[in-house]
């Protein structure tokens, strides 16, 4: 119960997290596309001199396949419970991946979390209906980036 009757509101100013321990020039880099989020922890000296400490990939491919299966069915509306459940699950998993990546940044003592600068607008990609839906509707790039931004601010990374 909250005395001010606000439900689900997080006031970031009330969080008092200390700046996590960080190593100079240790970077967690992120590469994104609609089906995968890749990450690498790198000790960076220059563009020709660096050491990859750890890397990995999160796959969202199963979600894309399930969306395609639903799209291939006839008369499955946007408010169909299967579609809503799949959308909610993908949003939840996207948030958990952002949380996990920041936990990795803290664990590996990264000074910087870097993400590619994507400026994609919803459009027809000339690669078919399913590809357009994947890029324009199902890829939660903004949700993911907002979660990363929030968590890096909290932990002062």
């Amino acid at each position: 119960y909250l005395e001010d009757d606000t439900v689900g509101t997080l006031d970031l100013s009330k969080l008092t997290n200390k700046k996590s321990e960080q190593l100079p020039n240790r970077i967690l880099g992120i590469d994104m596309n609609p089906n995968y989020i890749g990450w690498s922890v790198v000790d960076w000296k220059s563009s020709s001199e660096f050491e990859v400490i750890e890397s990995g990939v999160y796959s969202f491919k199963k979600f894309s396949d399930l969306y395609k299966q639903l799209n291939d069915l006839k008369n499955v509306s946007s408010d169909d419970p299967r579609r809503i459940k799949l959308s909610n699950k993908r949003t939840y998993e996207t948030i958990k991946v952002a949380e996990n990546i920041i936990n990795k940044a803290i664990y590996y003592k990264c000074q910087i979390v870097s993400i590619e600068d994507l400026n994609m607008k919803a459009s027809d990609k000339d690669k078919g209906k399913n590809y357009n839906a994947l890029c324009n509707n199902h890829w939660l790039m903004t949700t993911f980036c907002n979660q990363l931004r929030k968590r890096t601010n909290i932990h002062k990374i």
Side-chain angles (χ1 to χ4, degrees):
Y1 176 76
L2 300 173
E3 291 181 23
D4 63 1
D5 293 330
T6 44
V7 177
T9 303
L10 175 63
D11 184 358
L12 296 178
S13 67
K14 293 183 180 179
L15 294 175
T16 56
N17 290 356
K18 289 193 264 179
K19 184 174 183 176
S20 59
E21 184 181 346
Q22 298 172 353
L23 297 175
N25 299 319
R26 179 157 292 177
I27 300 168
L28 189 148
I30 299 169
D31 180 56
M32 298 185 307
N33 71 52
N35 286 325
Y36 302 98
I37 296 174
W39 61 274
S40 299
V41 175
V42 177
D43 282 339
W44 190 264
K45 294 172 182 64
S46 71
S47 60
S48 60
E49 190 179 356
F50 56 89
E51 179 184 356
V52 177
I53 306 301
E54 189 72 50
S55 64
V57 175
Y58 297 93
S59 176
F60 287 84
K61 179 79 168 89
K62 184 175 180 182
F63 287 107
S64 301
D65 294 343
L66 292 171
Y67 276 116
K68 184 179 180 326
Q69 287 175 9
L70 280 176
N71 288 339
D72 290 344
L73 297 174
K74 302 289 183 219
N75 300 321
V76 178
S77 67
S78 60
D79 62 351
D80 184 283
R82 294 170 293 180
R83 210 177 277 281
I84 292 169
K85 181 178 178 180
L86 185 58
S87 178
N88 290 344
K89 179 69 173 158
R90 186 173 185 125
T91 300
Y92 174 80
E93 294 298 332
T94 299
I95 292 168
K96 294 309 273 184
V97 165
E99 179 182 346
N100 189 264
I101 285 175
I102 296 306
N103 288 341
K104 288 180 187 310
I106 293 166
Y107 176 81
Y108 287 106
K109 301 175 182 171
C110 296
Q111 183 182 35
I112 297 170
V113 172
S114 174
I115 191 163
E116 60 187 322
D117 186 16
L118 296 174
N119 294 316
M120 297 181 65
K121 304 251 187 273
S123 64
D124 184 351
K125 312 285 190 242
D126 293 325
K127 293 188 177 183
K129 180 176 103 174
N130 288 320
Y131 185 81
N132 286 336
L134 176 64
C135 292
N136 296 332
N137 304 85
H138 303 155
W139 187 13
L140 300 178
M141 181 176 60
T142 302
T143 299
F144 179 71
C145 291
N146 288 343
Q147 287 293 316
L148 283 177
R149 186 173 296 111
K150 175 177 82 173
R151 294 169 195 285
T152 54
N153 287 337
I154 289 170
H155 296 287
K156 298 182 169 107
I157 299 173

